[in-house]
Structure formats: C-alpha cells, structure tokens
Amino acid sequence: MEKIVLIVEHLINICGITGSAVPVVRHALLVLITILLAAGTGYICRKIIVPLVIKATKKTNTKWDDILLNRRALISASHIVPAVVVWLLLPWVFFQFHTVQMVLTRLTAIYITIMSVATLIVFIDSFKQFESEKRTATQQYLYTFCGLLKIVMIFIAVVVVVSILINKSPMVLFAGLGATSAILMLVFQDTITGLVAGVRLTSNDMLRKGDWITVGNTGVDGVVEEMTLTTVKVRNFDNTIMTISPKTLVDESFQNWKGMIESAGRKVVRRMYYDFNQVTIIDDDTRAALITKGYFKEKEIETNAVNVTLFRRYAERWLKENEAVNSDMMILVRQAEATQSGLAVEFIFFLKNKVAVQYEHDISTIMEYIIAITPDFGLKIYQKTTI
C-alpha cells in the first residue's frame, strides 16, 4: 500500500494539483483504489475461487466435503474478504484523519465479526444434510450440539461488537458478565432449563427425529418432525402440529413407541368376561360337538374337562397358527382376576403388522372369531342389560 500512496502522490504532482486540493484528491483516489481492490478481491473469490473449490469437491469420492464446502457457505465466506481488505487499507487511506479512520475501522470490524458468525452458522447448518429421515443417536447429539454452539457464537459476537463500539477488550466485558450471571440466569431461567432438558434428551438417547411418541395429557400423539434445543415439533396422526418444550418431556413421562416399531411384533392385550353360571364340566353333547366341529380330537379332551379350560387351550393354539400373529413371541390366554362383570379371560399376543390401520383390522378379525366360537364351548359372554 505504501507504493500505491507514492504512485498517487506522483500522479498528483504530474497533474499539477497544488494547495488545499491535494489532500482531497489524494484521499479520493485512495478511497477509489481501496473500493476497487475490495471489489476485485470479492469478485475473484465469488467467480473464480468458489467455483474451483466446488468443482474440486465434486471430483472427490467423499460426501462430507460437498456438504460442508457448499456454495452457500463459500459465498458467505467470500463476503468477508473485501471487508478484510478495507480494514487493512484504512490506516493508509485516512492517515491524516484519525477520527474518520477510527470510526470506519470499528464499523468494518463489526461487519467482519457479524459476517464471520453468519458464515460459521451457515457452515454449522450444513451438518443437517448429513442426517437421514430418522436421525441416529450420534446425528441427534451433533444436531443438538450445533444448536448450542450457534447460541454461544451469537452471544460471543454480541459481546465482541459491544466491545468494539466502546473500545474495550472483550475479556473485560466477559469478566463483568460474571458479576451479573445470577441476574441473567434468573431472566433466562426458562431458556436455560429448556437447553439443559434438550441436552438430556439427546445425551441419553431418549428421543430422535422420526420417533412416534405419546405425551400424557398434552394431546401429543404422533411422529417427531423436528428437535431443537428449546422445542420438539410433533405431527399428530390427524395432521395437526403440536410444539412442546424438552422440559415437558423430561419432567413428565412420555411414551416412545420406537421399541415396538423396531421389534418383531406389536403387543395386543384384550380381556373378555364370561358368565360364571356357564362355567361347567362339559357334558357328552358338548364333547361330541367340539370333536365334530374340529376343535379337538377325542383323545385331547380329558375326563371332567371344564369348558373354559378347553376354550383357553383352543384359543391359544389357534392364535399360534394364525398368520397375523407372531408365533415366535409370547402367546398366552389366561384367567385374570374375576370381577362383578364375570370371569375374566385375557388374550395376550403379538401381531406381525404394526401399522395402525392393519393392526386394528387384525385385532378385530381375531377377537370377532373368538367371540363367535364362544357358544360352541357352552360359554356366554357377560353383557350388562337394562330393563
């Protein structure tokens, strides 16, 4: 830059400019040169360097460089270069006007700080492209950490900008913040609590994007669409969107259906009540009817067999042979605790199809068959009637 200043002085002498016009012309030329140099470096970065970097990343076999060194991040970074050129040249341009130099230097430093943080935020947001439809635990942890990192960077940027404006060291401001930390924690109590809860959800792998959750009395029953440090967005099955705080999920219990979806079957527990008056040892007619209809072979029915015992045994065997039921998982038909409604028989099994609609259809088909065969065993389902 010193050589440029000498060249400008030589041009002024050649043009024969003298007197009070010399400083004006000198600074006008230096400002013009600074603008041209800044614009030139910016143009070179955007039109030459950025395309070359993008082309180089596309030639590699790895994916991470294409994502991290994307066009948006590179363009954002290229906006910093002209400001750096201006910041370096200002002492030479306004060496005779200290106040103007100081003001412009501070403004340029603020611009560089803001654009640097903006570029880092764009760079961090690029990590979102690594995630799949359902985030892994590592991806969710990284996503949460990036959100926290963006907040920290914005906070630091604000402190740095303030320090530039008042011409103080940022460390002085950080030291002063320590004295007011109690007040800040009180003011931002909910935000801090939400951040801590979000980190707990992620670090303990309690929740991921794509999980189906049900949350107590909040009305939330759907799939997690987005998770941040302060909010969890859930799309309910009626397509309504509900947003809850991570603090709610941590403080209260919530049901995550991920284990069921990833398992080999979805559990079904149904209970039927039978009239006590119909529970009896089968007679010869009932025995013959059960054999004729193919429920049992003659040798499978022991003497003094009870009709509800035979019913449970057949229902359990039929469930094991049903194609909709996963026979490798628990299948149990048991007598539960009796109530005023009658003798309780509980059916416990797992269905292969876990999708809501087909799951409900399979349950209905199975239970309707069980209801239909009940009279063949001499049993009667309890049904309260009013006169």
Side-chain angles (χ1 to χ4, degrees), residues 18-57:
T18 58
S20 60
V22 173
V24 176
V25 174
R26 181 193 302 120
H27 286 90
L29 289 175
L30 291 176
V31 169
L32 179 61
I33 293 172
T34 301
I35 294 174
L36 291 176
L37 288 175
T41 53
Y43 181 85
I44 292 172
C45 289
R46 292 192 304 273
K47 300 299 182 180
I48 299 176
I49 297 178
V50 171
L52 287 176
V53 173
I54 293 175
K55 187 178 294 185
T57 56

Side-chain angles (χ1 to χ4, degrees), residues 8 30 41 44 47 52 61 71 74 87 117 129 136 144 152 176 182 203 223 225 233-234 249 255 300 312 325 360 369:
V8 169
L30 291 176
T41 53
I44 292 172
K47 300 299 182 180
L52 287 176
N61 296 325
R71 183 174 183 82
L74 293 175
W87 184 73
V117 173
Q129 300 180 40
T136 63
T144 304
V152 172
S203 59
V223 178
E225 282 200 339
K233 186 188 294 183
V234 180
L249 298 178
Q255 192 171 12
E300 293 177 333
R312 289 190 298 102
V325 178
E360 295 295 340
Y369 175 79

Side-chain angles (χ1 to χ4, degrees), residues 53-187:
V53 173
I54 293 175
K55 187 178 294 185
T57 56
K58 288 183 178 179
K59 291 182 179 180
T60 60
N61 296 325
T62 56
K63 182 182 178 182
W64 65 266
D65 55 350
D66 296 329
I67 293 176
L68 298 181
L69 299 177
N70 60 80
R71 183 174 183 82
R72 185 185 171 199
L74 293 175
I75 291 295
S76 180
S78 66
H79 290 156
I80 303 174
V81 178
V84 174
V85 172
V86 172
W87 184 73
L88 292 174
L89 296 182
L90 280 176
W92 297 94
V93 176
F94 296 100
F95 61 91
Q96 290 181 325
F97 301 95
H98 179 71
T99 303
V100 175
Q101 176 190 334
M102 181 185 65
V103 172
L104 292 179
T105 300
R106 290 184 184 182
L107 292 177
T108 306
I110 291 173
Y111 176 82
I112 293 173
T113 302
I114 294 173
M115 288 307 303
S116 298
V117 173
T119 301
L120 288 174
I121 290 176
V122 172
F123 180 77
I124 291 172
D125 286 338
S126 302
F127 283 94
K128 293 181 181 180
Q129 300 180 40
F130 284 110
E131 69 183 39
S132 55
E133 184 177 352
K134 291 188 177 182
R135 292 181 191 147
T136 63
T138 304
Q139 288 173 339
Q140 181 57 49
Y141 192 82
L142 181 62
Y143 189 90
T144 304
F145 176 77
C146 289
L148 182 60
L149 185 60
K150 287 195 290 185
I151 293 175
V152 172
M153 285 194 307
I154 292 173
F155 175 75
I156 294 175
V158 171
V159 174
V160 172
V161 168
V162 173
S163 68
I164 292 173
L165 288 174
I166 64 176
N167 196 25
K168 295 288 185 180
S169 172
M171 300 309 299
V172 175
L173 294 180
F174 282 119
L177 288 174
T180 59
S181 58
I183 299 176
L184 290 174
M185 291 180 66
L186 182 61
V187 173

Side-chain angles (χ1 to χ4, degrees), residues 224-350:
V224 176
E225 282 200 339
E226 192 64 50
M227 278 186 65
T228 65
L229 283 172
T230 55
T231 58
V232 177
K233 186 188 294 183
V234 180
R235 179 180 291 274
N236 289 335
F237 293 114
D238 59 358
N239 283 329
T240 58
I241 303 289
M242 294 194 69
T243 302
I244 56 177
S245 67
K247 183 177 182 297
T248 302
L249 298 178
V250 172
D251 292 345
E252 302 177 8
S253 61
F254 71 95
Q255 192 171 12
N256 192 328
W257 297 86
K258 177 176 63 176
M260 179 274 295
I261 293 174
E262 294 176 351
S263 69
R266 183 173 176 181
K267 189 177 183 179
V268 178
V269 179
R270 289 292 185 272
R271 181 174 292 189
M272 303 288 292
Y273 294 93
Y274 296 90
D275 192 341
F276 282 112
N277 297 322
Q278 304 298 319
V279 178
T280 182
I281 297 174
I282 62 171
D283 54 23
D284 293 338
D285 292 337
T286 304
R287 180 189 298 269
L290 293 176
I291 295 172
T292 301
K293 293 182 179 181
Y295 292 119
F296 294 100
K297 295 179 181 179
E298 185 173 358
K299 61 181 180 179
E300 293 177 333
I301 303 178
E302 63 274 10
T303 306
N304 296 329
V306 179
N307 57 353
V308 71
T309 303
L310 294 175
F311 173 75
R312 289 190 298 102
R313 190 188 306 167
Y314 173 75
E316 198 168 281
R317 185 176 66 187
W318 180 80
L319 286 171
K320 290 180 180 179
E321 296 173 353
N322 193 296
E323 292 183 355
V325 178
N326 190 335
S327 58
D328 295 330
M329 303 182 76
M330 183 178 68
I331 297 176
L332 177 64
V333 180
R334 70 184 186 97
Q335 182 185 147
E337 184 178 355
T339 67
Q340 293 181 348
S341 298
L343 177 66
V345 176
E346 200 167 58
F347 303 85
I348 304 173
F349 54 93
F350 289 81

